[in-house]
Amino acid sequence: MLGVDLMIAGRNLARHTRRNLFLGGALAAVTALLVLLGALTAGMESAMMQSATTLMTGHVNVGGFFKITSGSAAPLVSQYPRVLEAVRAKVPELDYATVRGRGWAKAVSEHVSMDLVLAGVDVAHEPTFRKVLHVVDGDLEALAQPGTVLLFEGQAERLKLKVNDVLTLSAPTARGVNNTADVRVAAIARNVGLLSAFSAFIQADTLRELYGLSPATTGAIHLYLRDPRDAARVAARLRTALAEAGYRVMEPEAQPYWMKLMQTVPSEDWTGQKLDVTTADDEMGQFKQFILALRVVTGLLVVILMVVVVIGILNTLAIAIRERTREIGALRAIGMQRRKVLWLFVLETALLGLLGTAAGVAVALAVAGAVNAAGIALPEAVQVFLAQERLRFLLDPGAIAADALVLAAIAVAASVFPARRAARLKPVTAMHHVG
Amino acid sequence: MSIVSVEHVSKDYMLGKTVVPALRDVSLAVGKGEFLSIAGPSGSGKTTLLNLVGCVDTPSAGRVIVAGQDTARLSERALTELRLRTIGFIFQSFNLVSVLSVFQNVEFPLLLQGGQTRKERAERVLALLDAVGIAEHARHRPSELSGGQRQRVAIARALVTRPALVLADEPTANLDSETGGNIIDLMKEMNRRDGTTFIFSTHDPKVMAHASALVRIEDGRISSREDLDAARRAGGR
């Protein structure tokens, strides 16, 4: 019977080709839009999180601020080996930890200058660093030597520098004086979106020298867990454990450290060292908000378009029911139950919904595939927002299937009301309908 | 024994705020195997009476008993089931499902009934299509057939469930006289062959002449009932 039902539904759809093509096309367009926007957002999020959790943040970070006066602040963790020891003891989920210097400096070349957020790295103890960075010129191993820096392509281009060229860094120390250091470009890496717009990596000891810091001082300890989903739980445990160990620990706040450094911490009335335990989500909070905002806008757009599609479905079914009222009456007369009439109309819409969404998914896959294959380079300003150098759609089969099914389900749900109306027609009224 | 019993049935329709009586205190018994014609001018109440007997409408007063069941006591679902298993319908304008082939249209009531294998259905459908002389058009859509051919399909559809009762509302009204005559002959043959009770409405004297009994209806009332077979037998004596 299902075969015959499908045949009736399919042939009824085919009978009004233009009307149903228009409606199916609208549904396909909404599906394609939803899938593409979802894939774009996922691409941005993936690119950002993939690079950020190696380059900018661990799954959990133990950072902190040192304040000589209440109005000043430096992103420092003093006596970090002791902190690291305490952390290791409390985090059995730990895969590995890295130590990163934090700072910012004005980078001055012979031609131009720019501000850079600096991360002090010890490449010998950075197991995943080389997996994320794609060095296009120079040698990443050379970044182990004192007085070296790694720039991204965009920065090197802007500063007009090549590998082995020298760059002067000028940075304010915690004591309020400016230090300078000449550093050699050890490697140039391919841009990784937002991060490469303002971040550069410098040999860890060189950063300490620039800021006049002791070898036991660093910017943050990045913790990489075997399962990143444990991050929030581990961070909460560490706050308690470090406080119990006698450290002053800041209250959790979902902001990246540089925002705290510029806004919150200098306005707080305390001096000395405080530790700040954050998660990758905290550090990437603004980016997450941007993604969330994008998803909200996408959702609103899709809702508006779906309202149009739902109105279209209601209208189309109303016309179909009017056209087929006599047929419904005859079928009811020969013994078709009401629920069967309802089923036939719902099935018709379900078929249209599935075909429409399938076509939309196919279009989205084709567009995404073509764009990914073409490797369309984004303008620098757009790179900052999209967190990627090239336009890239990340196609997640599960998410695509969910999008398509939700839209098809909405279409089916929209058909229930008119289908119920058709099913409730009295056979005698329907049979003698004139229309 | 009656397959249909209509007892003091009235049916009123509302036309705005005006009550329009379509049937007034009608009583009628139809025996098994009868080939009964309901005759009368347009608006006399023929279709209303057939709708009540066919359980697609409910009376304002009185009782309609079909195959021993008081239709007033049945739920909507049970009435639909009664129509599916006991009654076959032939409509004036055929009312075939336009997107199904001739074969599928005839097979459709069997699918609604369920319980038969594909082979059983196919055998029964093909036998009926052959009996109504339309087997060669089994794969055609209704739109590819003439009016007479469509009505043959409708007859096959009405008979495929082997109903005890077939109702036909002006089955020849949309056909030319020759085709109409053929359709009535076909119905009569099915009546003779299977003993199926037929009740059909018409206002065409040539068509009503084929009936075994004739009920005349005027202004919502039965004005006469004639046993035409008995008259024929008496005339032949």
Side-chain angles (χ1 to χ4, degrees):
Chain A
M1 189 72 196
L2 181 64
V4 176
D5 293 349
L6 281 168
M7 186 190 295
I8 291 175
R11 286 181 178 172
N12 273 323
L13 285 175
R15 204 158 58 146
H16 301 287
T17 317
R18 190 185 295 179
R19 188 166 75 199
N20 290 316
L21 268 181
F22 182 74
L23 194 57
L27 197 54
V30 176
T31 309
L33 192 66
L34 181 62
V35 169
L36 283 174
L37 287 173
L40 181 64
T41 313
M44 289 163 58
E45 194 167 12
S46 162
M48 195 66 195
M49 293 311 289
Q50 191 183 11
S51 51
T53 49
T54 299
L55 300 179
M56 292 282 287
T57 170
H59 300 136
V60 177
N61 309 293
V62 181
F65 298 93
F66 195 90
K67 292 175 51 153
I68 294 173
T69 63
S70 63
S72 67
L76 298 175
V77 177
S78 57
Q79 299 302 322
Y80 82 83
R82 277 170 45 200
V83 179
L84 181 55
E85 193 180 339
V87 165
R88 282 188 193 280
K90 293 292 177 187
V91 187
E93 300 93 336
L94 185 67
D95 185 11
Y96 66 95
T98 63
V99 175
R100 289 282 178 86
R102 283 173 168 176
W104 68 271
K106 185 171 281 294
V108 185
S109 70
E110 283 185 20
H111 308 279
V112 71
S113 67
M114 67 182 289
D115 289 328
L116 288 177
V117 172
L118 293 174
V121 293
D122 179 359
V123 285
H125 297 98
E126 291 273 359
T128 53
F129 201 63
R130 65 194 71 247
K131 289 182 189 166
V132 175
L133 282 181
H134 185 84
V135 174
V136 292
D137 198 8
D139 181 9
L140 192 58
E141 305 304 327
L143 192 60
Q145 296 164 12
T148 53
V149 68
L150 177 145
L151 298 176
F152 288 98
E153 274 180 314
Q155 297 160 354
E157 198 175 314
R158 189 164 163 190
L159 291 164
K160 297 187 171 63
L161 292 173
K162 295 194 290 287
V163 169
N164 289 327
D165 285 350
V166 174
L167 170 72
T168 301
L169 297 174
S170 171
T173 68
R175 295 178 191 284
V177 294
N178 258 35
N179 266 4
T180 60
D182 286 345
V183 290
R184 182 174 56 84
V185 179
I188 295 173
R190 184 174 289 169
N191 289 345
V192 286
L194 182 64
L195 297 174
S196 49
F198 54 80
S199 295
F201 293 91
I202 184 170
Q203 197 263 347
D205 288 332
T206 308
L207 186 70
R208 288 193 185 94
E209 280 174 26
L210 180 64
Y211 279 98
L213 303 174
S214 76
T217 303
T218 191
I221 299 164
H222 289 188
L223 307 178
Y224 295 89
L225 309 177
R226 281 186 290 278
D227 186 350
R229 289 173 297 186
D230 293 332
R233 201 160 41 81
V234 168
R237 190 196 312 148
L238 270 181
R239 283 188 198 103
T240 309
L242 290 169
E244 285 171 358
Y247 292 98
R248 288 195 296 170
V249 181
M250 292 170 64
E251 288 298 313
E253 193 179 358
Q255 275 193 333
Y257 88 86
W258 52 270
M259 278 195 71
K260 292 175 188 169
L261 176 68
M262 286 194 252
Q263 293 174 2
T264 332
V265 177
S267 63
E268 292 174 358
D269 187 21
W270 54 271
T271 56
Q273 175 75 63
K274 270 194 179 183
L275 295 180
D276 185 25
V277 182
T278 62
T279 62
D281 280 351
D282 297 335
E283 295 293 336
M284 306 305 296
Q286 290 210 320
F287 177 76
K288 290 266 182 187
Q289 281 175 4
F290 175 69
I291 293 279
L292 182 66
L294 195 67
R295 286 198 170 134
V296 168
V297 171
T298 305
L300 280 174
L301 189 66
V302 169
V303 165
I304 291 167
L305 291 173
M306 269 318 283
V307 167
V308 175
V309 171
V310 164
I311 291 170
I313 288 169
L314 291 173
N315 200 31
T316 302
L317 275 187
I319 295 169
I321 289 163
R322 199 169 60 234
E323 286 171 349
R324 279 150 53 194
T325 298
R326 288 174 72 95
E327 185 180 298
I328 295 167
L331 290 173
R332 292 275 292 120
I334 66 170
M336 183 182 277
Q337 294 284 1
R338 280 178 170 166
R339 62 171 188 272
K340 181 79 177 175
V341 177
L342 179 98
W343 159 248
L344 281 178
F345 278 96
V346 168
L347 183 68
E348 200 171 310
T349 312
L351 204 59
L352 180 69
L354 285 174
L355 290 173
T357 52
V361 167
V363 168
L365 291 179
V367 170
V371 168
N372 286 348
I376 297 169
L378 292 166
E380 202 170 320
V382 182
Q383 285 184 25
V384 172
F385 284 105
L386 296 191
Q388 45 197 358
E389 189 188 354
R390 295 177 188 281
L391 192 57
R392 178 172 163 263
F393 294 100
L394 183 69
L395 297 163
D396 172 8
I400 293 169
D403 286 345
L405 283 176
V406 165
L407 292 182
I410 291 172
V412 169
S415 73
V416 170
F417 176 69
R420 265 172 61 93
R421 218 175 47 197
R424 296 184 78 82
L425 282 171
K426 284 178 73 174
V428 67
T429 314
M431 278 193 300
H432 299 108
H433 172 82
V434 179
Chain B
M1 187 182 170
S2 297
I3 181 126
V4 173
S5 179
V6 177
E7 299 172 3
H8 304 290
V9 161
S10 296
K11 177 69 185 178
D12 299 329
Y13 291 111
M14 294 298 292
L15 196 64
K17 289 182 178 175
T18 312
V19 178
V20 180
L23 287 179
R24 306 171 200 220
D25 194 26
V26 168
S27 293
L28 174 70
V30 181
K32 277 186 179 169
E34 277 200 63
F35 196 69
L36 179 84
S37 173
I38 299 174
S42 293
S44 58
K46 304 187 295 292
T47 299
T48 302
L49 182 57
L50 280 179
N51 287 340
L52 294 176
V53 172
C55 307
V56 293
D57 204 356
T58 49
S60 307
R63 289 203 310 167
V64 177
I65 296 165
V66 177
Q69 298 193 64
D70 185 348
T71 57
R73 294 175 185 272
L74 298 179
S75 66
E76 171 60 38
R77 180 183 290 241
L79 283 173
T80 307
E81 198 64 23
L82 178 68
R83 292 196 297 268
L84 176 62
R85 303 202 178 271
T86 310
I87 306 171
F89 286 88
I90 300 168
F91 305 98
Q92 180 181 334
S93 48
F94 327 124
N95 287 357
L96 300 173
V97 181
S98 56
V99 294
L100 295 181
S101 68
V102 163
F103 181 94
Q104 288 163 337
N105 261 286
V106 177
E107 186 190 28
F108 202 71
L110 293 178
L111 288 169
L112 290 176
Q113 278 191 339
Q116 297 100 344
T117 64
R118 179 192 287 254
K119 190 176 170 222
E120 286 167 348
R121 289 197 307 269
E123 281 172 2
R124 204 190 285 191
V125 171
L126 289 172
L128 262 174
L129 289 179
D130 195 39
V132 299
I134 202 123
E136 70 272 26
H137 297 292
R139 288 173 178 276
H140 290 174
R141 297 270 189 95
S143 58
E144 297 165 331
L145 305 179
S146 68
Q149 288 170 327
R150 287 185 213 185
Q151 199 59 300
R152 285 168 186 267
V153 178
I155 291 170
R157 182 178 66 178
L159 292 171
V160 76
T161 56
R162 294 175 183 156
L165 172 67
V166 173
L167 302 174
D169 187 13
E170 307 256 12
T172 60
N174 283 348
L175 307 174
D176 60 66
S177 57
E178 186 186 345
T179 312
N182 290 340
I183 290 297
I184 291 295
D185 287 343
L186 180 62
M187 285 165 53
K188 184 116 194 188
E189 188 189 328
M190 297 296 163
N191 164 253
R192 277 200 207 106
R193 195 186 74 176
D194 302 327
T196 309
T197 307
F198 275 77
I199 304 176
F200 61 97
S201 65
T202 184
H203 54 255
D204 182 346
K206 286 182 192 165
V207 172
M208 58 186 86
H210 290 78
S212 60
L214 176 64
V215 170
R216 290 189 186 276
I217 189 164
E218 284 173 33
D219 295 331
R221 289 195 174 90
I222 291 179
S223 56
S224 67
R225 176 174 177 140
E226 300 166 46
D227 188 341
L228 298 182
D229 273 353
R232 280 187 205 107
R233 281 195 297 273
R237 223 180 282 155

